Amino acid sequence: MTDLPIYLDYQATTPLDPRVLAEMMPYLTGKFGNPHSNHSFGWEAAAGVEIARKDIADLITAGPEDIIFTSGATESNNLAIKGIAYAAYPSKNHIITAMTEHTCVLESCAALERNGFKVTYLPVGADGLIDLVQLDQAITPKTSLVSIMAVNNEIGVIQDLKSIGKICKRKKVMFHTDAAQAVGKIPLDVSAMNIDLLSISGHKIYGPKGVGALYLRPKANIQPLALFDGGGQERGLRSGTIAPALCAGLGAACKIAKQDMVKDQNHIHGLAKRMKSAIFGGLDCIDLNGSEKQRYMGNLNLVFEGVTGDALIKELRNIAFSAGSACSTGRTEPSHVLTAIGLDKAQADCCIRIGIGRMSTAQEIDYAADHIIDVVKKIRTRL
Ligand SMILES: *Cc1c(COP(=O)(O)O)cnc(C)c1O
């Protein structure tokens, strides 16, 4: 018997890995010092922060000095996008992103537009991927930054980071990637992929909420302008006392993700295949959104003809999944990602996102697949 409710929303957040909690505990209790203090209590807390910085850097093949701690990927994205845009202004006033980015990237760009910057929003194909020729052609001498996410949070497709990095290097523009859904799940190498800035979130990788990081290439042409004024912590780029327990948690999450990446991938791929073949075997008129091949398997975004995601959520209270994207609260508009890949509003309303992760089990997948199939059939017979 499976414990209910079942959690299948790993793109919204992930449970804290108990191994992560164990690494955090000392900094929530005895090692309470301010890591910026110059005495033994401070040194002890700072030492923990520096171990974490190295573990984060190792996961993306960077140096520890290239990691800035933030409160999460939202802050990292704001710092990267606004920070670079403002630092490059006025000689450069243009940035490029994609229509399918996370809301915090799109809203950062919208804020820049309100302040006189120009932004190109690249469309994507039905597979959810940008066109590299279009990207190349969109870059002008006024372009400072290209910001293209790694793994899409709604449909799981993986953009071709290596090719994007190559284009940005050739055109001498900065390349930022929101890798909140990619870090620890697919191999990332900031040198090989020519990534200048990369955003990380703790709670998407079995770490704590409220912490993230930004990788910054040390010798990049442009260094971002800080968004916070204060004590000058994190090389002046992110003032404020850093939280050693949260940093230790993010570090541990990265270390474990590196050690367990292949094991996690095998586990998650196996369960995703199981879910997919059960649902596609049991139902007609369904489709997987986004590229079939270039994707992270832990994300299955499915469209069920004639059955709304909201109706499924209402009928399946024991299974936690999301209809469209849960990231924009109170949304009544169809998801901008589903619209960008060519779905109309009616189709977008009929989509659900199933997120499978490290703690998912075969029993949970079987229970969820059976019940989803039953409910879809039931709703369809009512039509
Ligand atoms: C969750 C997420 C974010 C926001 O991360 P927070 O750490 O919650 O601020 C940004 N981008 C993507 C792709 C995400 O999945």
Side-chain angles (χ1 to χ4, degrees):
M1 207 24 223
T2 343
D3 285 338
L4 298 175
I6 292 169
Y7 189 72
L8 287 175
D9 201 10
Y10 278 80
Q11 279 73 45
T13 195
T14 56
L16 190 73
D17 191 301
R19 294 170 288 180
V20 171
L21 179 62
E23 294 296 323
M24 293 172 66
M25 282 308 282
Y27 300 96
L28 290 164
T29 50
K31 299 183 181 183
F32 64 86
N34 182 327
H36 314 294
S37 296
N38 195 15
H39 50 59
S40 64
F41 290 84
W43 302 331
E44 178 180 65
V49 170
E50 295 318 312
I51 291 169
R53 210 187 290 278
K54 181 167 187 326
D55 287 332
I56 297 162
D58 280 349
L59 182 57
I60 56 169
T61 332
E65 64 284 1
D66 312 335
I67 302 294
I68 304 285
F69 283 106
T70 66
S71 63
T74 298
E75 186 188 333
S76 299
N77 287 340
N78 271 267
L79 177 57
I81 295 167
K82 294 177 189 168
I84 293 294
Y86 282 118
Y89 190 80
S91 67
K92 291 171 194 280
N93 65 351
H94 176 233
I95 65 174
I96 298 170
T97 188
M99 287 169 71
T100 50
E101 293 292 317
H102 191 273
T103 312
C104 66
V105 167
L106 295 176
E107 289 301 322
S108 294
C109 291
L112 288 172
E113 281 184 295
R114 288 193 294 274
N115 286 295
F117 288 85
K118 299 214 170 2
V119 181
T120 300
Y121 298 90
L122 294 173
V124 297
D127 57 6
L129 302 171
I130 62 161
D131 180 329
L132 297 172
V133 175
Q134 247 176 357
L135 167 65
D136 200 326
Q137 289 169 347
I139 299 171
T140 76
K142 289 288 200 185
T143 310
S144 58
L145 178 76
V146 169
S147 179
I148 302 288
M149 75 200 313
V151 172
N152 185 274
N153 50 302
E154 288 195 44
I155 57 175
V157 300
I158 307 173
Q159 299 287 353
D160 182 355
L161 298 182
K162 196 164 182 192
S163 299
I164 297 168
K166 238 184 224 159
I167 294 169
C168 292
K169 186 171 186 179
R170 175 164 48 78
K171 295 264 175 129
K172 295 193 170 61
V173 297
M174 303 279 285
F175 175 30
H176 165 248
T177 188
D178 173 0
Q181 299 283 351
V183 165
K185 294 171 185 154
I186 59 170
L188 290 171
D189 180 327
V190 289
S191 299
M193 295 170 159
N194 194 55
I195 294 165
D196 296 303
L197 307 108
L198 179 147
S199 300
I200 301 176
S201 172
H203 73 105
K204 305 292 174 74
I205 56 170
Y206 314 98
K209 294 171 181 60
V211 67
L214 179 65
Y215 160 78
L216 266 176
R217 177 176 298 286
K219 291 202 183 82
N221 308 337
I222 311 168
Q223 288 291 307
L225 219 65
L227 303 181
F228 293 2
D229 299 305
Q233 289 90 348
E234 299 296 275
R235 292 164 33 200
L237 286 167
R238 209 287 189 163
S239 282
T241 305
I242 53 180
L246 295 177
C247 297
L250 179 56
C254 288
K255 189 173 183 174
I256 294 165
K258 186 170 183 192
Q259 280 166 2
D260 288 1
M261 193 180 293
V262 174
K263 187 174 142 205
D264 282 346
Q265 279 177 345
N266 289 337
H267 174 68
I268 291 164
H269 288 200
L271 293 180
K273 250 195 216 157
R274 192 180 179 109
M275 174 70 92
K276 225 175 115 196
S277 52
I279 292 182
F280 279 79
L283 292 168
D284 297 322
C285 299
I286 42 172
D287 208 359
L288 176 70
N289 288 317
S291 169
E292 183 108 33
K293 275 182 282 172
Q294 222 167 300
R295 67 164 38 253
Y296 168 62
M297 285 293 288
N299 177 323
L300 291 175
N301 192 308
L302 302 168
V303 52
F304 297 85
E305 219 177 284
V307 182
T308 68
D310 287 340
L312 282 176
I313 285 177
K314 223 160 110 191
E315 299 271 347
L316 292 163
R317 292 183 170 276
N318 278 328
I319 308 170
F321 56 90
S322 108
S325 166
C327 295
S328 22
T329 46
R331 177 180 52 81
T332 49
E333 290 293 296
S335 139
H336 66 280
V337 175
L338 298 175
T339 334
I341 61 169
L343 272 59
D344 62 27
K345 182 177 183 328
Q347 289 169 318
D349 283 343
C350 293
C351 292
I352 64 166
R353 181 185 68 186
I354 298 170
I356 299 167
R358 185 182 286 161
M359 287 79 173
S360 299
T361 66
Q363 291 92 317
E364 290 177 343
I365 298 302
D366 293 347
Y367 179 99
D370 285 350
H371 285 77
I372 290 170
I373 293 168
D374 283 351
V375 168
V376 169
K377 281 184 177 165
K378 196 177 92 187
I379 295 174
R380 280 181 177 168
T381 56
R382 277 194 222 136
L383 293 175

